Amino acid sequence: MNNKQNILLAFYGDDFTGSTDALEFITRAGAKAVLFIEPPTAEQLQQFPQLDVIGVAGKTRALPPDEMEKVLLPAFEQLKATGAKQVHYKVCSTFDSSPTVGSIGKAIDCGASVFENKLIPVLGGAPSLGRYCVFGNLFARMGIGSNGKIYRLDRHPSMSKHPVTPADESDLRLHIGKQTDKKIGLIDIVQLAKPVDEWMSSLTDEEVVLVDVMDETQLEKIGEWMNGLDDKTLFSVGGSSVEAALGNYWNRTGKLQPDTEWKNTMKAEPLLVVSGSCSPVTAAQIEWAKANGFEEIVLDAVKIIEEGIVDASVLNHVAVLLQKEKNVIVHTGSKQTENLSSEKLGTALGTIAKHAAIHSNLKRVVVAGGDTSSYAARAMEIDAVEMIAAIVSGAPLCKAYSTNEKINGLEVNFKGGQVGGEDYFGLF
């Protein structure tokens, strides 16, 4: 990639919903940031002058380790070539992964081979999203942007029952340690209260260090620490707290000016929601939508997996309802709790959304579900997105860029399964 822009940060997200989460936090900090589906070419970058941040919305969360490596090694090399001082592998705030699917350890190994850091930081919490890491153990609120209860990760009613990567360990050192042979240390909340130059006094030969994050006031100091950690490009791992930490520090030093004013958005009429989420949070949101006038279409998920296509009758039914100015929610029903192909379900949902945009006066789409979101975005022929409004923390409203004129300019919201209160879809 031949890019002469002054890039502060380049991040690679393991799915689309998580990538827009990172996009929001760094955009709020005042960065000019664009999120691409693939590492951008020089020609693509020329369309966005004066970029501060480049993001890539990947799909590694749903891949086995060998396929992750084939994707991540060239992607990391391309991000390194931007000259960015900071490169971040963005994971879900609940660290969804296992040794066989979406391995964060494999991503760490790939990053270590490309960037050759002496130490790779892993930020463990994201307080604004209701994720708190204390003495290495992760706790998560039930529903981002809600007032749900907080649970230790391995006792979380949703994450402990995730159909692909159920959380069975709250200590992130042990969780990630099952996925990499690298030695993992910890900077805990007691050390965080000390001066930054004393943080690593307890570390010896660790190659990776987990950093507790309990409170938003800690983020600026963490950003300062990250900026001084390596003379070369620093490779880090974690949720959007990485963007929050760096953004807060760059705000303090004057490198960026925070952006606090956003576009006033009216509710869309009609609105299309497509959901492949298996979260009970999303299930409650679907019930709310049904009770508040949304037309419901339940897909035969097993049939989609077996045949790999969406019935033309479904595509036409969605388009007709939208033409009648009806709000529509399309989801994968009770079968979504089974371990079905994220690629096939996500592609089906994206195909429905693209067809709807072409055949109706659709201006806005909400896509729910982390595992399926990356495939849905690709099926919609989205090339890149840029944040245009803050609705719920961790899930911004974005403008889509596409060579398909019916998709170009479409307003899109990508929501992880844990995001939002029951009335979430009513906000759009």
Side-chain angles (χ1 to χ4, degrees):
M1 184 188 303
N2 182 18
N3 175 39
K4 296 182 180 179
Q5 299 186 51
N6 183 25
I7 303 299
L8 296 175
L9 166 70
F11 68 86
Y12 187 101
D14 65 357
D15 70 7
F16 209 101
T17 60
S19 299
T20 59
D21 171 21
L23 177 70
E24 175 181 357
F25 277 89
I26 202 62
T27 303
R28 282 177 177 269
K32 172 69 173 176
V34 172
L35 177 65
F36 298 88
I37 289 283
E38 302 290 348
T41 63
E43 291 72 23
Q44 284 180 299
L45 289 176
Q46 287 174 2
Q47 301 174 36
F48 302 97
Q50 300 179 324
L51 275 183
D52 300 304
V53 174
I54 292 170
V56 178
K59 52 186 179 182
T60 47
R61 177 171 162 183
L63 297 180
D66 56 341
E67 291 186 36
M68 289 181 67
E69 184 172 302
K70 292 176 184 177
V71 171
L72 289 179
L73 288 178
F76 286 163
E77 290 287 359
Q78 286 179 273
L79 295 184
K80 184 179 181 180
T82 66
K85 181 72 184 298
Q86 301 281 341
V87 174
H88 171 212
Y89 182 71
K90 201 279 177 189
V91 302
C92 180
S93 61
T94 45
F95 283 72
D96 302 8
S97 59
S98 76
T100 57
V101 179
S103 170
I104 295 171
K106 171 55 72 173
I108 288 173
D109 292 344
C110 291
S113 68
V114 172
F115 297 100
E116 301 177 347
N117 296 160
K118 295 176 183 176
L119 191 66
I120 296 175
V122 178
L123 271 59
S128 64
L129 302 181
R131 278 74 174 107
Y132 310 97
C133 191
V134 187
F135 296 107
N137 286 269
L138 187 60
F139 296 78
R141 184 181 299 280
M142 186 69 174
I144 295 173
S146 74
N147 294 314
K149 292 182 180 180
I150 297 171
Y151 300 87
R152 202 176 74 184
L153 195 65
D154 56 346
R155 297 178 180 174
H156 193 280
S158 178
M159 297 317 305
S160 65
K161 298 176 182 178
H162 192 286
V164 181
T165 51
D168 58 4
E169 175 59 65
S170 65
D171 190 324
L172 294 180
R173 291 166 294 177
L174 299 179
H175 176 63
I176 298 172
K178 297 174 184 176
Q179 305 170 19
T180 178
D181 293 330
K182 288 183 166 44
K183 188 175 180 182
I184 304 172
L186 174 66
I187 297 175
D188 63 35
I189 56 171
V190 175
Q191 289 166 285
L192 287 178
K194 299 177 181 179
V196 171
D197 58 8
E198 297 180 20
W199 282 6
M200 295 193 292
S201 60
S202 63
L203 300 180
T204 54
D205 58 344
E206 289 87 351
E207 301 161 276
V208 178
V209 60
L210 174 66
V211 183
D212 276 354
V213 185
M214 176 65 185
D215 189 276
E216 290 191 56
T217 60
Q218 299 164 333
L219 291 173
E220 186 185 300
K221 285 179 68 176
I222 293 173
E224 177 186 352
W225 173 73
M226 291 178 67
N227 267 267
L229 196 58
D230 204 301
D231 292 334
K232 301 176 183 178
T233 299
L234 179 68
F235 175 73
S236 62
V237 175
S240 55
S241 53
V242 171
E243 281 69 30
L246 292 171
N248 286 1
Y249 175 69
W250 288 332
N251 287 160
R252 177 166 71 82
T253 58
K255 188 164 285 189
L256 294 175
Q257 298 299 319
D259 195 342
T260 57
E261 295 185 6
W262 300 99
K263 173 183 176 181
N264 244 339
T265 57
M266 303 292 289
K267 289 187 179 181
E269 295 180 354
L271 175 70
L272 173 63
V273 178
V274 294
S275 173
S277 171
C278 60
S279 164
V281 173
T282 305
Q285 292 162 350
I286 291 172
E287 290 304 312
W288 183 95
K290 288 162 55 180
N292 285 272
F294 278 71
E295 297 287 342
E296 178 191 29
I297 296 177
V298 182
L299 299 178
D300 186 335
V302 174
K303 185 177 180 181
I304 288 173
I305 298 301
E306 291 174 347
E307 299 181 3
I309 59 172
V310 182
D311 285 346
S313 60
V314 172
L315 297 175
N316 293 332
H317 187 30
V318 172
V320 168
L321 288 173
L322 291 169
Q323 289 165 8
K324 294 179 179 179
E325 301 293 309
K326 300 286 189 180
N327 292 335
V328 181
I329 187 160
V330 181
H331 65 96
T332 47
S334 60
K335 292 295 183 180
Q336 65 188 331
T337 58
E338 298 181 11
N339 188 4
L340 303 176
S341 169
S342 297
E343 180 176 6
K344 290 183 178 179
L345 290 179
T347 299
L349 293 170
T351 300
I352 291 168
K354 183 177 74 171
H355 185 272
I358 292 172
H359 295 281
S360 70
N361 191 33
L362 186 65
K363 302 298 183 185
R364 187 177 298 167
V365 178
V366 176
V367 180
D371 291 354
T372 53
S373 62
S374 296
Y375 297 105
R378 284 162 171 78
M380 291 171 69
E381 299 182 10
I382 293 174
D383 297 322
V385 299
E386 188 172 14
M387 178 177 170
I388 58 173
I391 306 293
V392 172
S393 185
L397 185 64
C398 297
K399 173 186 175 181
Y401 293 93
S402 175
T403 54
N404 184 327
E405 63 178 16
K406 293 293 186 178
I407 300 298
N408 192 49
L410 187 68
E411 293 182 350
V412 290
N413 170 256
F414 287 84
K415 175 196 106 62
Q418 304 305 313
V419 174
E422 288 192 1
D423 64 344
Y424 184 87
F425 300 134
L427 302 177
F428 294 87

